[in-house]
PDB file of all heavy atoms in Angstrom:
ATOM      1  N   SER A  26      84.959   2.004 -33.311  1.00  0.00           N
ATOM      2  CA  SER A  26      83.828   1.366 -33.983  1.00  0.00           C
ATOM      3  C   SER A  26      82.511   1.888 -33.420  1.00  0.00           C
ATOM      4  O   SER A  26      82.470   2.454 -32.318  1.00  0.00           O
ATOM      5  CB  SER A  26      83.874  -0.141 -33.767  1.00  0.00           C
ATOM      6  OG  SER A  26      83.488  -0.418 -32.445  1.00  0.00           O
ATOM      7  N   THR A  29      81.618   0.819 -29.941  1.00  0.00           N
ATOM      8  CA  THR A  29      82.248   1.550 -28.824  1.00  0.00           C
ATOM      9  C   THR A  29      81.467   2.815 -28.512  1.00  0.00           C
ATOM     10  O   THR A  29      81.268   3.153 -27.346  1.00  0.00           O
ATOM     11  CB  THR A  29      83.700   1.888 -29.165  1.00  0.00           C
ATOM     12  OG1 THR A  29      84.397   0.657 -29.416  1.00  0.00           O
ATOM     13  CG2 THR A  29      84.365   2.627 -28.044  1.00  0.00           C
ATOM     14  N   ARG A  32      78.509   1.818 -26.652  1.00  0.00           N
ATOM     15  CA  ARG A  32      78.896   1.470 -25.280  1.00  0.00           C
ATOM     16  C   ARG A  32      79.127   2.722 -24.452  1.00  0.00           C
ATOM     17  O   ARG A  32      78.697   2.831 -23.315  1.00  0.00           O
ATOM     18  CB  ARG A  32      80.162   0.625 -25.319  1.00  0.00           C
ATOM     19  CG  ARG A  32      79.922  -0.800 -24.962  1.00  0.00           C
ATOM     20  CD  ARG A  32      81.200  -1.581 -24.993  1.00  0.00           C
ATOM     21  NE  ARG A  32      81.178  -2.624 -26.010  1.00  0.00           N
ATOM     22  CZ  ARG A  32      81.951  -2.682 -27.055  1.00  0.00           C
ATOM     23  NH1 ARG A  32      82.864  -1.748 -27.269  1.00  0.00           N
ATOM     24  NH2 ARG A  32      81.848  -3.648 -27.930  1.00  0.00           N
ATOM     25  N   ARG A  41      87.383   2.314 -21.927  1.00  0.00           N
ATOM     26  CA  ARG A  41      88.600   2.811 -21.305  1.00  0.00           C
ATOM     27  C   ARG A  41      88.605   4.331 -21.313  1.00  0.00           C
ATOM     28  O   ARG A  41      88.163   4.985 -22.265  1.00  0.00           O
ATOM     29  CB  ARG A  41      89.818   2.282 -22.049  1.00  0.00           C
ATOM     30  CG  ARG A  41      91.084   2.261 -21.175  1.00  0.00           C
ATOM     31  CD  ARG A  41      92.352   2.241 -21.998  1.00  0.00           C
ATOM     32  NE  ARG A  41      92.257   1.227 -23.047  1.00  0.00           N
ATOM     33  CZ  ARG A  41      93.034   1.175 -24.103  1.00  0.00           C
ATOM     34  NH1 ARG A  41      93.951   2.102 -24.255  1.00  0.00           N
ATOM     35  NH2 ARG A  41      92.888   0.224 -24.988  1.00  0.00           N
ATOM     36  N   THR A  44      89.713   6.119 -24.463  1.00  0.00           N
ATOM     37  CA  THR A  44      88.740   6.013 -25.562  1.00  0.00           C
ATOM     38  C   THR A  44      87.537   6.901 -25.306  1.00  0.00           C
ATOM     39  O   THR A  44      87.041   7.551 -26.204  1.00  0.00           O
ATOM     40  CB  THR A  44      88.244   4.550 -25.659  1.00  0.00           C
ATOM     41  OG1 THR A  44      89.328   3.666 -25.412  1.00  0.00           O
ATOM     42  CG2 THR A  44      87.653   4.288 -27.029  1.00  0.00           C
ATOM     43  N   ARG A  67      64.835  -0.452 -31.724  1.00  0.00           N
ATOM     44  CA  ARG A  67      65.714  -1.561 -31.431  1.00  0.00           C
ATOM     45  C   ARG A  67      65.357  -2.234 -30.107  1.00  0.00           C
ATOM     46  O   ARG A  67      65.316  -3.434 -29.983  1.00  0.00           O
ATOM     47  CB  ARG A  67      67.162  -1.033 -31.403  1.00  0.00           C
ATOM     48  CG  ARG A  67      68.234  -2.034 -31.074  1.00  0.00           C
ATOM     49  CD  ARG A  67      68.193  -3.187 -32.054  1.00  0.00           C
ATOM     50  NE  ARG A  67      68.078  -4.427 -31.334  1.00  0.00           N
ATOM     51  CZ  ARG A  67      69.012  -5.369 -31.309  1.00  0.00           C
ATOM     52  NH1 ARG A  67      70.098  -5.239 -32.007  1.00  0.00           N
ATOM     53  NH2 ARG A  67      68.837  -6.425 -30.610  1.00  0.00           N
TER      54      ARG A  67
ATOM     55  P    DG D  28      88.379  -2.107 -18.535  1.00  0.00           P
ATOM     56  OP1  DG D  28      89.451  -1.710 -17.794  1.00  0.00           O
ATOM     57  OP2  DG D  28      87.439  -3.155 -18.231  1.00  0.00           O
ATOM     58  O5'  DG D  28      88.229  -1.692 -19.984  1.00  0.00           O
ATOM     59  C5'  DG D  28      88.365  -2.681 -20.948  1.00  0.00           C
ATOM     60  C4'  DG D  28      89.035  -2.089 -22.164  1.00  0.00           C
ATOM     61  O4'  DG D  28      89.289  -3.165 -23.063  1.00  0.00           O
ATOM     62  C3'  DG D  28      88.148  -1.158 -22.981  1.00  0.00           C
ATOM     63  O3'  DG D  28      88.989  -0.468 -23.902  1.00  0.00           O
ATOM     64  C2'  DG D  28      87.249  -2.131 -23.669  1.00  0.00           C
ATOM     65  C1'  DG D  28      88.198  -3.287 -23.965  1.00  0.00           C
ATOM     66  N9   DG D  28      87.575  -4.625 -23.715  1.00  0.00           N
ATOM     67  C8   DG D  28      86.824  -5.037 -22.660  1.00  0.00           C
ATOM     68  N7   DG D  28      86.425  -6.267 -22.772  1.00  0.00           N
ATOM     69  C5   DG D  28      86.957  -6.699 -23.958  1.00  0.00           C
ATOM     70  C6   DG D  28      86.890  -7.961 -24.625  1.00  0.00           C
ATOM     71  O6   DG D  28      86.317  -8.973 -24.248  1.00  0.00           O
ATOM     72  N1   DG D  28      87.569  -7.945 -25.825  1.00  0.00           N
ATOM     73  C2   DG D  28      88.265  -6.899 -26.323  1.00  0.00           C
ATOM     74  N2   DG D  28      88.884  -7.087 -27.477  1.00  0.00           N
ATOM     75  N3   DG D  28      88.367  -5.722 -25.722  1.00  0.00           N
ATOM     76  C4   DG D  28      87.678  -5.704 -24.551  1.00  0.00           C
ATOM     77  P    DT D  29      88.397   0.518 -24.991  1.00  0.00           P
ATOM     78  OP1  DT D  29      89.489   1.468 -25.365  1.00  0.00           O
ATOM     79  OP2  DT D  29      87.121   1.020 -24.480  1.00  0.00           O
ATOM     80  O5'  DT D  29      88.110  -0.407 -26.240  1.00  0.00           O
ATOM     81  C5'  DT D  29      89.170  -0.707 -27.127  1.00  0.00           C
ATOM     82  C4'  DT D  29      88.681  -1.649 -28.207  1.00  0.00           C
ATOM     83  O4'  DT D  29      88.025  -2.772 -27.606  1.00  0.00           O
ATOM     84  C3'  DT D  29      87.638  -1.030 -29.152  1.00  0.00           C
ATOM     85  O3'  DT D  29      88.307  -0.767 -30.369  1.00  0.00           O
ATOM     86  C2'  DT D  29      86.566  -2.107 -29.265  1.00  0.00           C
ATOM     87  C1'  DT D  29      87.161  -3.299 -28.562  1.00  0.00           C
ATOM     88  N1   DT D  29      86.228  -4.212 -27.864  1.00  0.00           N
ATOM     89  C2   DT D  29      85.993  -5.469 -28.364  1.00  0.00           C
ATOM     90  O2   DT D  29      86.516  -5.878 -29.382  1.00  0.00           O
ATOM     91  N3   DT D  29      85.137  -6.228 -27.633  1.00  0.00           N
ATOM     92  C4   DT D  29      84.492  -5.879 -26.439  1.00  0.00           C
ATOM     93  O4   DT D  29      83.743  -6.671 -25.875  1.00  0.00           O
ATOM     94  C5   DT D  29      84.767  -4.572 -25.970  1.00  0.00           C
ATOM     95  C7   DT D  29      84.120  -4.070 -24.714  1.00  0.00           C
ATOM     96  C6   DT D  29      85.610  -3.788 -26.691  1.00  0.00           C
ATOM     97  P    DG D  30      87.484  -0.091 -31.541  1.00  0.00           P
ATOM     98  OP1  DG D  30      88.448   0.675 -32.377  1.00  0.00           O
ATOM     99  OP2  DG D  30      86.252   0.541 -31.024  1.00  0.00           O
ATOM    100  O5'  DG D  30      87.091  -1.425 -32.343  1.00  0.00           O
ATOM    101  C5'  DG D  30      88.125  -2.313 -32.729  1.00  0.00           C
ATOM    102  C4'  DG D  30      87.530  -3.408 -33.607  1.00  0.00           C
ATOM    103  O4'  DG D  30      86.755  -4.287 -32.776  1.00  0.00           O
ATOM    104  C3'  DG D  30      86.587  -2.911 -34.715  1.00  0.00           C
ATOM    105  O3'  DG D  30      86.842  -3.707 -35.863  1.00  0.00           O
ATOM    106  C2'  DG D  30      85.197  -3.160 -34.131  1.00  0.00           C
ATOM    107  C1'  DG D  30      85.446  -4.420 -33.301  1.00  0.00           C
ATOM    108  N9   DG D  30      84.558  -4.574 -32.160  1.00  0.00           N
ATOM    109  C8   DG D  30      84.266  -3.620 -31.207  1.00  0.00           C
ATOM    110  N7   DG D  30      83.478  -4.064 -30.267  1.00  0.00           N
ATOM    111  C5   DG D  30      83.256  -5.394 -30.601  1.00  0.00           C
ATOM    112  C6   DG D  30      82.475  -6.386 -29.931  1.00  0.00           C
ATOM    113  O6   DG D  30      81.839  -6.281 -28.898  1.00  0.00           O
ATOM    114  N1   DG D  30      82.496  -7.601 -30.618  1.00  0.00           N
ATOM    115  C2   DG D  30      83.203  -7.827 -31.786  1.00  0.00           C
ATOM    116  N2   DG D  30      83.096  -9.042 -32.302  1.00  0.00           N
ATOM    117  N3   DG D  30      83.932  -6.905 -32.409  1.00  0.00           N
ATOM    118  C4   DG D  30      83.909  -5.710 -31.768  1.00  0.00           C
ATOM    119  P    DA D  31      86.422  -3.136 -37.238  1.00  0.00           P
ATOM    120  OP1  DA D  31      87.631  -2.666 -37.929  1.00  0.00           O
ATOM    121  OP2  DA D  31      85.256  -2.259 -37.089  1.00  0.00           O
ATOM    122  O5'  DA D  31      85.965  -4.480 -37.920  1.00  0.00           O
ATOM    123  C5'  DA D  31      84.639  -4.840 -37.750  1.00  0.00           C
ATOM    124  C4'  DA D  31      84.452  -6.316 -37.990  1.00  0.00           C
ATOM    125  O4'  DA D  31      84.023  -6.890 -36.759  1.00  0.00           O
ATOM    126  C3'  DA D  31      83.347  -6.539 -39.003  1.00  0.00           C
ATOM    127  O3'  DA D  31      83.444  -7.824 -39.599  1.00  0.00           O
ATOM    128  C2'  DA D  31      82.124  -6.427 -38.109  1.00  0.00           C
ATOM    129  C1'  DA D  31      82.604  -7.013 -36.767  1.00  0.00           C
ATOM    130  N9   DA D  31      82.086  -6.248 -35.620  1.00  0.00           N
ATOM    131  C8   DA D  31      82.322  -4.922 -35.284  1.00  0.00           C
ATOM    132  N7   DA D  31      81.723  -4.544 -34.185  1.00  0.00           N
ATOM    133  C5   DA D  31      81.050  -5.675 -33.769  1.00  0.00           C
ATOM    134  C6   DA D  31      80.213  -5.932 -32.671  1.00  0.00           C
ATOM    135  N6   DA D  31      79.933  -5.023 -31.754  1.00  0.00           N
ATOM    136  N1   DA D  31      79.680  -7.177 -32.550  1.00  0.00           N
ATOM    137  C2   DA D  31      79.984  -8.097 -33.465  1.00  0.00           C
ATOM    138  N3   DA D  31      80.770  -7.979 -34.541  1.00  0.00           N
ATOM    139  C4   DA D  31      81.255  -6.733 -34.633  1.00  0.00           C
ATOM    140  P    DA D  34      70.713 -12.729 -38.047  1.00  0.00           P
ATOM    141  OP1  DA D  34      69.960 -13.160 -36.841  1.00  0.00           O
ATOM    142  OP2  DA D  34      70.955 -13.641 -39.163  1.00  0.00           O
ATOM    143  O5'  DA D  34      70.071 -11.379 -38.634  1.00  0.00           O
ATOM    144  C5'  DA D  34      68.728 -11.081 -38.327  1.00  0.00           C
ATOM    145  C4'  DA D  34      68.616 -10.533 -36.925  1.00  0.00           C
ATOM    146  O4'  DA D  34      69.720  -9.640 -36.676  1.00  0.00           O
ATOM    147  C3'  DA D  34      67.325  -9.728 -36.768  1.00  0.00           C
ATOM    148  O3'  DA D  34      66.548 -10.281 -35.739  1.00  0.00           O
ATOM    149  C2'  DA D  34      67.741  -8.312 -36.463  1.00  0.00           C
ATOM    150  C1'  DA D  34      69.250  -8.401 -36.189  1.00  0.00           C
ATOM    151  N9   DA D  34      69.964  -7.334 -36.867  1.00  0.00           N
ATOM    152  C8   DA D  34      70.485  -7.345 -38.142  1.00  0.00           C
ATOM    153  N7   DA D  34      71.090  -6.204 -38.483  1.00  0.00           N
ATOM    154  C5   DA D  34      70.962  -5.417 -37.357  1.00  0.00           C
ATOM    155  C6   DA D  34      71.365  -4.113 -37.060  1.00  0.00           C
ATOM    156  N6   DA D  34      72.045  -3.350 -37.927  1.00  0.00           N
ATOM    157  N1   DA D  34      71.052  -3.601 -35.860  1.00  0.00           N
ATOM    158  C2   DA D  34      70.376  -4.373 -34.994  1.00  0.00           C
ATOM    159  N3   DA D  34      69.949  -5.621 -35.148  1.00  0.00           N
ATOM    160  C4   DA D  34      70.258  -6.088 -36.372  1.00  0.00           C
ATOM    161  P    DC D  35      64.998 -10.515 -35.971  1.00  0.00           P
ATOM    162  OP1  DC D  35      64.629 -11.736 -35.219  1.00  0.00           O
ATOM    163  OP2  DC D  35      64.750 -10.412 -37.410  1.00  0.00           O
ATOM    164  O5'  DC D  35      64.271  -9.277 -35.309  1.00  0.00           O
ATOM    165  C5'  DC D  35      64.711  -8.627 -34.136  1.00  0.00           C
ATOM    166  C4'  DC D  35      64.212  -7.210 -34.142  1.00  0.00           C
ATOM    167  O4'  DC D  35      65.289  -6.340 -34.546  1.00  0.00           O
ATOM    168  C3'  DC D  35      63.107  -6.926 -35.146  1.00  0.00           C
ATOM    169  O3'  DC D  35      61.848  -7.009 -34.490  1.00  0.00           O
ATOM    170  C2'  DC D  35      63.379  -5.508 -35.670  1.00  0.00           C
ATOM    171  C1'  DC D  35      64.793  -5.173 -35.142  1.00  0.00           C
ATOM    172  N1   DC D  35      65.771  -4.759 -36.180  1.00  0.00           N
ATOM    173  C2   DC D  35      66.614  -3.664 -35.930  1.00  0.00           C
ATOM    174  O2   DC D  35      66.523  -3.054 -34.863  1.00  0.00           O
ATOM    175  N3   DC D  35      67.532  -3.311 -36.880  1.00  0.00           N
ATOM    176  C4   DC D  35      67.588  -4.002 -38.021  1.00  0.00           C
ATOM    177  N4   DC D  35      68.515  -3.593 -38.906  1.00  0.00           N
ATOM    178  C5   DC D  35      66.761  -5.104 -38.291  1.00  0.00           C
ATOM    179  C6   DC D  35      65.858  -5.438 -37.352  1.00  0.00           C
TER     180       DC D  35
END
Side-chain angles (χ1 to χ4, degrees):
Chain A
S26 75
T29 301
R32 252 180 243 116
R41 204 201 312 163
T44 322
R67 179 57 235 245

